[in-house]
């Protein structure tokens, strides 16, 4: 080893030298190593148990579900003189959720706390005294596109009228999408259009959940814009919003549409008293929440989000590495061993053995790749072991062909002839003189085939042929995501990305090995 | 030429026989008693024997094989589905067109995209465009079809709403599945076209054209492409088999009612006569396509005929 003698560099050294020069191949070698390490360490690396819903595991980790699922919305009370007050001071605040199975709200210090419990979107009505406003809640990005009236307000917040005088109330509405609608006619047009949407929307989740508040909800559906005078001896109001002072004193007119209402104080023949609250404004028109029980989007807690059974996708992808690697390595190893042996035998002995083996290879190659694997599964039945076997069967013919070719060339070498002439047994010649020569081809294709094997294996389990569809295996995860999370991006994206990165690493590594070993093999 | 065609056609006959024997044995190798499955478990022993005799299961295996093959060849009869008790051939005929349309549409995408990328990469070789094209190609080969399909569905059907998510019936339904299926073949065609053009670019006549001062684009499009495309055509033909296999997965993703989804459904419900028929059909299709490619290659390149 330590000699300073000059001799021709060993083929392994030249190979290493050439391989080192290929940056892409080196990077992919690193990636392959990293993937293997991750696969082996997955049970210790995974932040959550991949088989159970994460919500069951929060307690053990000291995480409160509420931290994830709630958002606090501040409230502002508009006074008739144009000043604002914090909404927490509003007395007897009542909150009503249109659909409590999606989200519910409760009162806190200076606002409301909204808590998500199911997917979808709904609205929450805040009422205090005569005033009512609402905001929209979207859970898990399941926006139904519905726009609600969030708040009504009068353009002139208060009126001082002389007896007998009349005025037209200018009314405007803020919608949950941030737009403002001004004027009676436009508001009416909007609510009409909205009603049509509401009617066409299938009525779901109605029934046992909230009978007490259904009257309020029913009132909310009252058609059109309604004006109501608190004291008709002071102020009279027409359905078109024309107010007329008919008696002395201070009265109010209440306007309401679709459950949302505001109040306008009207002083007749006397100055206005202390300002009164005229409108309640939620700090947000529309809030987005996460449903902690299903399909959480990616967050710092769950890097890849959670799936339809609320299992941590990141943990599942990590654990799936092991299963996927197992399918890739074991099947290719089986296929390569059988294929190499048959290829050596066919190439070395030639004649009728070669004829039969070649014919067998042709039959196997007559089926397009994945169909052969599917045929094997069809014969053996679904299951991971059978997937491994199926992928192995599909790997065999390629190795037979490759190894047979090089074995036939090596057989003609002088050293083989020499070994034969001194009576070395055939098995020894094959193992010691021919097999090492085929190693380089075998190694290159071994690497390239692992990528393909992983792809085929994942395809088979995607088709549901892997047996256990709840297993944390990338193909099976995608299959489940396709059936259960069709409208969501993250459950399908991450497991697939893992497959792409893994297969790409193996393919690039294979390309690099091939170029370093024998540039002639390049197509 | 005629003898070449005959030789090649006769050459696939042994393959057809082996494939048909394998698919014939399929129902015999798989678990479950066909009589019990077809007529129910509650039939008594004498009826069972009578039915077994009637269906011909008591005959020697080779007689059953001959009957199986002659039923297929003469009557196009593939037997009866365990699940629906209906004739398998009718269902296959109904679904065959769907798979054919999907395959051809995918091939169209593959050829258009593959040639485009391949030619640009060859003309602008070693530029960033070339590198981008080739990196995309190897990435495309590493992407599982079903995932690519799901991503396309997610972006163009769910988020943008441009196409329907699944099913069949219109051109819109066809676009995403065919694009998905065509991707892998497009990558193969791109790589192959590039190397084929680069090969031809080394020829003397290309040097002459360069010496005349012609532009690189003109050289490639008028002088090189004609001869460089011959192997590409052959290779493209061979990819049909690849597409047939891929169709199984892609049809499942987009609920496309073709033969592939029929095969998967049948495997999951253990409907062996259907599986048997489809595997035979797929292999025969594959053999026939390869034969056609072989013959067309012979037509294009006379050297092949006398090898």
């Amino acid at each position: 080893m330590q000699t300073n003698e000059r001799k021709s560099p060993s083929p392994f050294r030249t190979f290493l030298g050439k391989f080192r020069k290929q940056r892409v191949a080196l990077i992919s070698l690193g990636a392959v190593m990293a993937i293997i390490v991750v696969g082996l360490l997955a049970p210790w690396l995974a932040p959550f148990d991949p088989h159970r819903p994460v919500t069951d595991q929060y307690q053990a980790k000291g995480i409160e579900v509420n931290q994830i699922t709630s958002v606090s919305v501040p409230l502002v009370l508009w006074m008739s003189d144009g000043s604002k007050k914090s909404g927490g001071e509003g007395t007897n605040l009542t909150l009503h959720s249109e659909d409590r199975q999606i989200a519910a709200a409760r009162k806190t210090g200076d606002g409301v706390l909204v808590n998500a419990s199911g997917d979808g979107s709904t609205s929450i009505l805040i009422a205090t005294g005569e005033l009512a406003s609402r905001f929209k809640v979207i859970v898990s990005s399941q926006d139904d596109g519905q726009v609600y009236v969030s708040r009504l307000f009068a353009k002139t917040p208060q009126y001082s009228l002389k007896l007998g005088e009349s005025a037209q109330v200018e009314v405007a509405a803020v919608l949950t999408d941030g737009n403002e609608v001004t004027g009676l006619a436009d508001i009416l047009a909007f609510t009409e259009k909205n009603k049509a949407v509401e009617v066409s929307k299938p009525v779901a989740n109605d029934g046992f959940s909230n009978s007490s508040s259904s009257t309020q909800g029913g009132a909310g559906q009252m058609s059109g814009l309604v004006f109501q005078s608190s004291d008709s001896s002071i102020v009279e109001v027409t359905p078109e919003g024309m107010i007329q002072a008919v008696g002395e004193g201070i009265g109010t007119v209440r306007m309401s549409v679709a459950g949302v209402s505001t109040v306008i104080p009207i002083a007749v023949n006397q100055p206005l008293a202390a300002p009164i609250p005229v409108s309640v404004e939620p700090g947000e028109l529309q809030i987005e929440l996460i449903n902690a029980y299903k399909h959480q989007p990616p967050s710092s807690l769950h890097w890849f989000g959670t799936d339809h059974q609320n299992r941590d996708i990141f943990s599942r992808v990590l654990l799936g590495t092991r299963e996927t690697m197992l399918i890739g390595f074991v099947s290719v190893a089986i296929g390569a061993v059988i294929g190499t042996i048959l290829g050596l035998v066919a190439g070395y002995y030639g004649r009728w053995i070669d004829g039969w083996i070649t014919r067998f290879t042709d039959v196997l190659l007559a089926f397009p790749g994945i169909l052969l694997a599917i045929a094997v599964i069809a014969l053996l039945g679904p299951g991971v072991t059978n997937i491994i076997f199926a992928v192995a069967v599909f790997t065999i013919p390629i190795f037979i062909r490759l190894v047979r070719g090089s074995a036939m060339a090596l057989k003609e070498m002088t050293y083989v002839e020499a070994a034969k002439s001194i009576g070395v047994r055939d098995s020894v010649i094959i193992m010691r003189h021919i097999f090492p020569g085929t190693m380089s081809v075998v190694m290159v294709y071994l690497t390239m085939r692992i990528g393909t094997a992983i792809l085929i294996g994942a395809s088979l389990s995607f088709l549901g042929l892997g047996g256990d569809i709840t297993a944390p295996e990338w193909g099976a995860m995608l299959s489940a995501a396709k059936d259960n999370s069709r409208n969501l991006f993250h459950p399908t994206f991450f497991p697939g990305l893992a497959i792409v990165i893994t297969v790409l690493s193996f393919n690039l590594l294979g390309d690099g090995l091939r170029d370093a070993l024998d540039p002639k093999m390049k197509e | 030429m005629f003898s070449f065609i005959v030789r090649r056609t006769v050459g696939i006959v042994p393959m057809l026989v082996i494939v048909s024997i394998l698919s014939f044995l399929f129902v015999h190798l798989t678990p479950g008693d066909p009589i019990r499955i077809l007529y129910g478990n509650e039939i008594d022993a004498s009826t069972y024997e009578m039915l077994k005799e009637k269906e011909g299961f008591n005959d020697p295996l080779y007689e059953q094989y001959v009957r199986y093959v002659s039923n297929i060849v003469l009557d196009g009869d593939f037997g009866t589905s365990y699940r629906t008790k209906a004739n398998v051939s009718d269902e296959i005929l109904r679904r065959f067109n769907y798979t054919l349309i999907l395959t051809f549409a995918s091939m169209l995408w593959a050829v258009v995209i593959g040639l485009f990328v391949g030619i640009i990469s060859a003309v602008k070789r070693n530029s960033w465009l070339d590198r981008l094209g080739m990196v995309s190609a190897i990435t495309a080969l590493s992407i599982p079809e079903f995932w690519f399909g799901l991503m396309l569905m997610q972006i163009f059907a769910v988020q943008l709403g441009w196409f329907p998510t699944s099913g069949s019936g219109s051109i819109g339904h066809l676009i995403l599945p065919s694009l998905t299926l065509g991707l892998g073949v497009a990558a193969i065609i791109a790589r192959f076209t590039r190397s084929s053009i680069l090969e031809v670019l080394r020829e003397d006549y290309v040097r002459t054209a360069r010496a005349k001062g012609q532009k690189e684009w003109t050289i490639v499009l008028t002088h090189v492409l004609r001869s460089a495309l011959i192997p590409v055509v052959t290779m493209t033909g061979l990819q049909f088999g690849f597409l047939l296999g891929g169709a199984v997965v892609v049809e499942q993703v987009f609920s496309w009612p073709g033969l592939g989804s029929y095969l998967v459904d049948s495997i999951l419900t253990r409907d062996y006569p259907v599986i048997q028929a489809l595997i035979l059909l797929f292999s025969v299709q594959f053999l026939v396509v390869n034969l056609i490619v072989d013959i067309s290659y012979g037509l294009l390149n006379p050297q092949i005929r006398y090898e």
Side-chain angles (χ1 to χ4, degrees), chain A residues 149-447:
Chain A
V149 176
S150 168
R151 189 166 70 91
L152 275 182
F153 64 94
K155 283 279 182 186
T156 320
Q158 55 191 12
Y159 288 87
S160 285
L161 298 176
K162 296 269 180 318
L163 197 61
E165 233 181 341
S166 61
Q168 171 68 42
V169 178
E170 284 289 328
V171 66
V174 178
L175 305 181
T176 51
D177 61 1
N179 288 330
E180 211 176 289
V181 179
T182 316
L184 259 172
D186 287 355
I187 295 176
L188 276 176
F190 172 78
T191 49
E192 279 302 312
K193 198 179 75 191
N194 214 33
K195 237 176 25 191
V197 175
E198 249 161 73
V199 168
S200 69
K201 201 173 65 175
V203 181
N205 301 336
D206 250 14
F208 348 101
S209 58
N210 42 15
S211 54
S212 62
S213 43
S214 68
T215 46
Q216 207 176 9
Q221 311 303 324
M222 218 196 302
S223 64
L225 193 57
V226 178
F227 292 90
Q228 230 176 339
S229 173
S230 63
D231 189 346
S232 55
S233 63
I234 300 172
V235 183
E236 274 184 354
V237 62
T238 64
E240 287 77 36
M242 184 66 83
I243 48 172
Q244 193 174 23
V246 291
E248 279 190 23
I250 294 178
T252 57
V253 166
R254 180 172 182 263
M255 293 188 295
S256 61
V257 63
V260 173
S261 58
T262 185
V263 163
I264 312 156
I266 291 146
V268 182
N269 278 1
Q270 56 179 256
L272 270 161
I276 59 156
V278 293
S279 175
V280 58
E281 182 188 7
E284 311 269 348
L285 293 172
Q286 187 167 311
I287 55 170
E288 302 240 2
L289 287 176
I290 299 168
N291 173 8
Y293 297 96
K294 198 182 171 187
H295 286 144
Q296 285 185 38
S299 61
S300 56
L301 188 58
H302 304 291
W303 291 359
F304 294 174
T306 63
D307 68 2
H308 62 287
Q309 289 184 2
N310 209 23
R311 294 169 300 197
D312 184 46
I313 295 180
F314 180 64
S315 306
R316 287 175 72 75
V317 168
L318 284 187
L319 230 77
T321 315
R322 184 181 263 201
E323 190 119 344
T324 311
M325 286 292 161
L326 188 80
I327 294 178
F329 281 116
V330 176
S331 61
V332 172
I334 296 174
V337 167
I338 298 177
T340 306
I341 293 174
L342 288 178
L344 284 173
V345 169
Y348 182 74
Y349 290 105
R351 314 225 263 177
W352 62 270
I353 297 185
D354 184 28
W356 276 107
I357 293 179
T358 311
R359 210 151 295 156
F360 169 70
T361 317
D362 285 343
V363 173
L364 287 186
L365 286 175
F367 292 86
I370 189 170
L371 271 185
L372 182 64
I374 288 177
V376 174
I377 294 277
L379 201 61
L380 300 176
V384 175
T385 335
N386 293 345
I387 284 194
I388 292 180
F389 192 70
V391 179
V393 168
F394 138 90
T395 314
I396 292 172
I398 294 130
F399 279 93
I400 296 185
R401 212 163 245 198
L402 282 169
V403 173
R404 174 180 168 265
S406 14
M408 272 164 73
L410 291 168
K411 190 174 75 172
E412 307 300 327
M413 296 299 237
T414 330
Y415 61 82
V416 175
E417 210 175 307
K420 259 189 200 160
S421 66
I422 58 168
V424 181
R425 266 183 295 142
D426 281 348
S427 57
V428 177
I429 294 182
I430 291 178
M431 282 318 292
R432 294 195 50 184
H433 300 295
I434 296 191
F435 175 61
T438 62
M439 274 292 277
S440 56
V441 191
V442 172
M443 286 311 293
V444 170
Y445 271 81
L446 210 58
T447 324

Side-chain angles (χ1 to χ4, degrees), chain A residues 82-124:
Chain A
S83 64
K84 285 193 256 185
K85 268 167 72 179
S86 172
E89 294 151 47
T91 49
N92 64 0
L93 202 62
T94 57
L95 299 163
H96 165 67
S97 169
E98 196 188 345
D99 188 342
R100 278 196 203 174
Q101 291 181 356
I102 293 175
R106 69 191 156 85
K107 203 179 141 187
T108 56
D110 57 348
V112 291
L113 191 71
V114 189
N115 201 2
S117 41
D119 287 357
S121 57
T122 183
S123 72
I124 286 176

Side-chain angles (χ1 to χ4, degrees), chain B residues 138-203:
Chain B
I138 192 158
T139 312
L141 284 175
S142 309
I143 293 180
E145 279 152 344
F146 53 93
W147 184 64
F148 186 63
L150 287 173
M151 288 294 108
L152 284 185
M153 191 198 279
Q154 191 57 242
I155 295 166
F156 294 106
V158 176
Q159 307 292 344
L160 297 174
W162 292 355
F163 304 107
T165 50
S166 58
S168 65
S170 70
I171 292 284
H173 285 98
L174 183 61
I175 290 179
L176 293 182
S178 56
L179 191 59
T180 308
L181 188 51
L183 177 81
V185 180
I188 295 174
I189 293 181
R191 275 156 63 114
F192 203 78
T193 308
R194 177 179 180 273
S195 61
S196 178
I197 291 178
L198 291 186
E199 193 101 337
V200 179
L201 278 174
R202 289 193 208 113
E203 301 279 335

